[in-house]
Amino acid sequence: IDGRIAELCETGFIEGTLVIPNFILSELQQIADSSSPTKRTRGRRGLDIVNKLQNQGIVPIEIVDTDFPDIPEVDSKLLQLAKVLGGQILTNDHNLKKVAKIQNVEVLNINEVATALKPVLLPGETLKINVLKEGENPNQGVAYLEDGTMVVIEKGKKYIGKEVEVTVTSVFQTTTGKMIFTELKEDVNKVKTKKRKNKVQSK
């Protein structure tokens, strides 16, 4: 459903055979047949991605019928299949990785790969960015980098729809990625100027 798996395979970084169990395809089919339009779209996109992977011809794809009728949960079936095959699970599910680690099953998390490849921004660095919407706190604005990283701009609410230059104040790592907190560069410059004036006066 995520879709990035197809792009990852195109890069050639995925080695070996990509095994897709039928119980995963069945779950995708159920989602595609859902009464919810959003779920239907997601399920169909997932099935389209499977077809795309099969047609790419870059990574060998194997559909397997192996099932574990005594195990009801799909994630648990997946873990058991990985143990039987001695394989790794490729996913973007953070909780699945946690459970897999407990059961000594190796997991490749696409979100972690994406996070590792994001440009490193350090406090003090500046960037130009378009403010897209209001933040959770009063007067905050929110923007996004090209890779999807959320950028929170203090006092950025009044600049929604405009491009501003901001200075990074801190970077916060979450389980799903990074959040960057910034201040308007003009505000940072005002503070610096004020501090310099205070130093001159104190002399």
Side-chain angles (χ1 to χ4, degrees), residues 55-69:
N55 294 329
Q56 273 180 349
I58 299 171
V59 176
I61 306 295
E62 184 180 345
I63 309 293
V64 297
D65 291 325
T66 308
D67 201 346
F68 306 95

Side-chain angles (χ1 to χ4, degrees), residues 34-161:
S34 169
S35 57
S36 164
T38 304
K39 283 188 175 182
R40 270 204 311 275
T41 301
R42 286 165 57 82
R44 289 170 184 172
R45 184 172 65 200
L47 293 172
D48 288 341
I49 292 298
V50 173
N51 289 327
K52 185 176 181 178
L53 287 168
Q54 288 177 311
N55 294 329
Q56 273 180 349
I58 299 171
V59 176
I61 306 295
E62 184 180 345
I63 309 293
V64 297
D65 291 325
T66 308
D67 201 346
F68 306 95
D70 54 323
I71 302 176
E73 300 86 7
V74 171
D75 282 0
S76 298
K77 288 177 186 280
L78 204 57
L79 288 167
Q80 187 59 34
L81 181 62
K83 290 177 184 177
V84 170
L85 298 178
Q88 302 166 314
I89 294 178
L90 189 59
T91 184
N92 64 357
D93 189 330
H94 181 69
N95 291 325
L96 176 58
K97 179 173 181 176
K98 282 184 175 180
V99 177
K101 190 174 182 180
I102 294 170
Q103 299 189 25
N104 294 317
V105 175
E106 191 171 350
V107 172
L108 301 175
N109 189 315
I110 294 177
N111 284 339
E112 290 179 359
V113 174
T115 300
L117 294 176
K118 287 179 179 178
V120 177
L121 284 169
L122 300 173
E125 291 191 60
T126 60
L127 64 150
K128 288 185 178 180
I129 199 161
N130 288 306
V131 185
L132 298 178
K133 62 180 183 179
E134 184 179 349
E136 287 187 6
N137 294 334
N139 297 321
Q140 279 185 344
V142 172
Y144 294 92
L145 300 181
E146 288 184 3
D147 60 17
T149 301
M150 179 186 284
V151 180
V152 178
I153 306 114
E154 288 299 326
K155 299 181 182 177
K157 180 181 176 180
K158 62 182 177 182
Y159 295 100
I160 291 174

Side-chain angles (χ1 to χ4, degrees), residues 170-174 177-181:
S170 62
V171 179
F172 183 65
Q173 181 68 52
T174 69
K178 291 177 182 175
M179 284 181 65
I180 299 172
F181 291 88

